Amino acid sequence: MNQLREHHRNEETKEGSAVVTLEDDRLVFRMPQVHEQAEFTLEFQRTLRIPDDGRRHFLPPGLGRFPLELVDDFSDKTPQAWSQHGGVFFPMYQAEAMWINFSGDYPMAVKVTAGKINALTGEEWTDGLIEEPQDYLVVPDQPWLDGFCVKRGLIRQFVAMPLGAGYTAEEQLTEEARHGGVQITVYPMKASEYEARQGRVGSHAFEDVMYCMAPASMDMGLAPGGLMTQEIYEDDYGIEVWDTEASARCFVHIVNSVQYFTVCGVSPPDKPPTARQYTDAGLPWFDYYGGDLTALEGAKKLANLDSVTARRIREGRVVRQEGPLGPVLVNPLSLGDR
């Protein structure tokens, strides 16, 4: 595990020769031992929570990066378990949504697990890469991830909920509330494969919104929210091109917004607008087409999970939801535009 340090403090530590740093609220993974260009960046984007109404919705906008903080800088105020893994944390309101933005030209295989549950397959975290069913994303082919892959071309949005309430994917699949947060594991392409592909032509030439105060527990996990149109693409390179001996991993903890102020002494970002407020203002939603890339089928385990709203209804709780959104403005996206 790479214990992160802010780059301007010049306190990096390494797992092998891979380095993970926190730079301007972005996580930067570098593998200079593999290739001088082996670099990958990700950020957690604030966004609208789409309606959890059974309808497919287009991609919501990015509303700016969540502020990332180093666990080691606040070890006296954060759970002791966090210090065992280090990493970073950021604040979310209960029932707030987010998406993960990826960037980098050097091909990487990226595993995303929510509370130790793989966001593509619904299986528990394992080391290494699995080809069938594919348990990793390929960047830069995959520009972002907004949620759990439930069917071909369809995800359920990442929505923050407190651990222990039974909503998170982790709790629904394991019946335990142990981890929460997100884990990111990155595997670079082998240098020989990368060099062999330089200059090739083609896709692989490297060219009820409900906000409320969360309970006293600090830990938050990710639960399935509304349905969104998004394709998760198959690995066209083949699993043999990835250097599984050169991985880097980072733990990303999610803290509720109330506790964030207690820990950091600053307020979290303001609550985002509702989907209706955003749409009524005439602002655009987005659609992305991946060209000739093939989308994964999605995971039955994840498709069978209760969404936040579905679970509340099943528990007999009152759920207030706005009616269907009116006509929406949809803009096509190119890679890197969102």
Side-chain angles (χ1 to χ4, degrees):
M1 166 57 197
N2 294 284
Q3 298 294 321
L4 294 173
R5 297 293 190 275
E6 289 174 304
H7 66 106
H8 64 267
R9 297 184 182 184
N10 194 29
E11 295 177 305
E12 297 176 352
T13 62
K14 300 182 180 181
E15 182 183 79
S17 297
V19 180
V20 186
T21 57
L22 175 59
E23 305 178 17
D24 299 323
D25 294 323
R26 295 181 174 96
L27 291 176
V28 182
F29 296 73
R30 295 183 177 93
M31 287 87 162
Q33 82 282 16
V34 175
H35 195 282
E36 62 180 6
Q37 296 184 39
E39 182 173 317
F40 164 77
T41 301
L42 68 80
E43 60 190 32
F44 298 90
Q45 276 279 336
R46 305 176 64 235
T47 193
L48 311 174
R49 182 180 167 194
I50 62 174
D52 187 359
D53 55 7
R55 298 177 176 87
R56 287 177 178 241
H57 296 276
F58 289 102
L59 297 173
L63 299 177
R65 295 188 295 274
F66 281 100
L68 296 180
E69 305 288 351
L70 293 165
V71 169
D72 286 352
D73 284 350
F74 299 93
S75 58
D76 59 332
K77 298 180 180 179
T78 55
Q80 185 175 0
W82 290 15
S83 296
Q84 296 174 9
H85 302 300
V88 298
F89 66 94
F90 69 92
M92 292 184 74
Y93 293 93
Q94 181 170 315
E96 187 177 4
M98 67 93 169
W99 55 275
I100 308 173
N101 188 43
F102 308 118
S103 59
D105 294 326
Y106 193 99
M108 301 281 182
V110 182
K111 293 180 70 168
V112 179
T113 53
K116 292 280 190 172
I117 296 297
N118 190 287
L120 304 191
T121 66
E123 301 294 337
E124 292 194 50
W125 184 88
T126 57
D127 198 9
L129 300 173
I130 297 176
E131 185 174 21
E132 184 59 41
Q134 182 180 314
D135 69 346
Y136 58 94
L137 310 163
V138 176
V139 177
D141 288 348
Q142 192 72 45
W144 43 69
L145 180 66
D146 287 65
F148 299 99
C149 183
V150 296
K151 290 183 180 179
R152 186 188 294 272
L154 197 63
I155 60 97
R156 279 201 176 273
Q157 190 177 34
F158 289 137
V159 174
M161 293 297 288
L163 288 185
Y167 288 89
T168 67
E170 172 186 7
E171 292 169 88
Q172 291 191 55
L173 290 173
T174 70
E175 298 184 351
E176 293 183 310
R178 295 181 56 195
H179 301 288
V182 183
Q183 285 187 53
I184 305 293
T185 311
V186 179
Y187 300 84
M189 178 176 278
K190 295 174 182 176
S192 58
E193 296 286 349
Y194 176 79
E195 293 292 345
R197 285 168 168 75
Q198 290 302 290
R200 288 188 185 179
V201 177
S203 63
H204 294 307
F206 302 110
E207 320 203 347
D208 126 269
V209 173
M210 182 183 297
Y211 294 104
C212 57
M213 183 177 295
S217 172
M218 184 174 292
D219 289 287
M220 303 276 279
L222 294 176
L227 291 169
M228 188 187 306
T229 298
Q230 184 172 92
E231 294 183 332
I232 310 301
Y233 300 117
E234 288 183 359
D235 178 5
D236 283 347
Y237 294 112
I239 197 168
E240 67 280 355
V241 309
W242 306 112
D243 191 341
T244 56
E245 301 301 315
S247 67
R249 180 157 56 121
C250 183
F251 288 80
V252 183
H253 309 276
I254 302 173
V255 61
N256 74 64
S257 55
V258 176
Q259 292 287 355
Y260 180 78
F261 179 82
T262 301
V263 171
C264 299
V266 295
S267 298
D270 293 336
K271 298 174 185 176
T274 68
R276 177 170 295 282
Q277 289 169 337
Y278 180 86
T279 302
D280 289 349
L283 297 171
W285 296 70
F286 300 96
D287 195 14
Y288 178 77
Y289 175 60
D292 295 331
L293 298 172
T294 303
L296 298 179
E297 289 287 348
K300 290 183 179 180
K301 276 191 172 184
L302 296 172
N304 291 333
L305 298 181
D306 284 339
S307 70
V308 172
T309 295
R311 186 173 185 88
R312 283 174 171 157
I313 291 173
R314 189 158 60 82
E315 292 173 346
R317 299 177 60 181
V318 176
V319 176
R320 295 183 297 104
Q321 289 209 86
E322 298 173 317
L325 300 178
V328 298
L329 174 65
V330 180
N331 287 350
L333 278 178
S334 298
L335 187 63
D337 283 349
R338 190 177 179 193

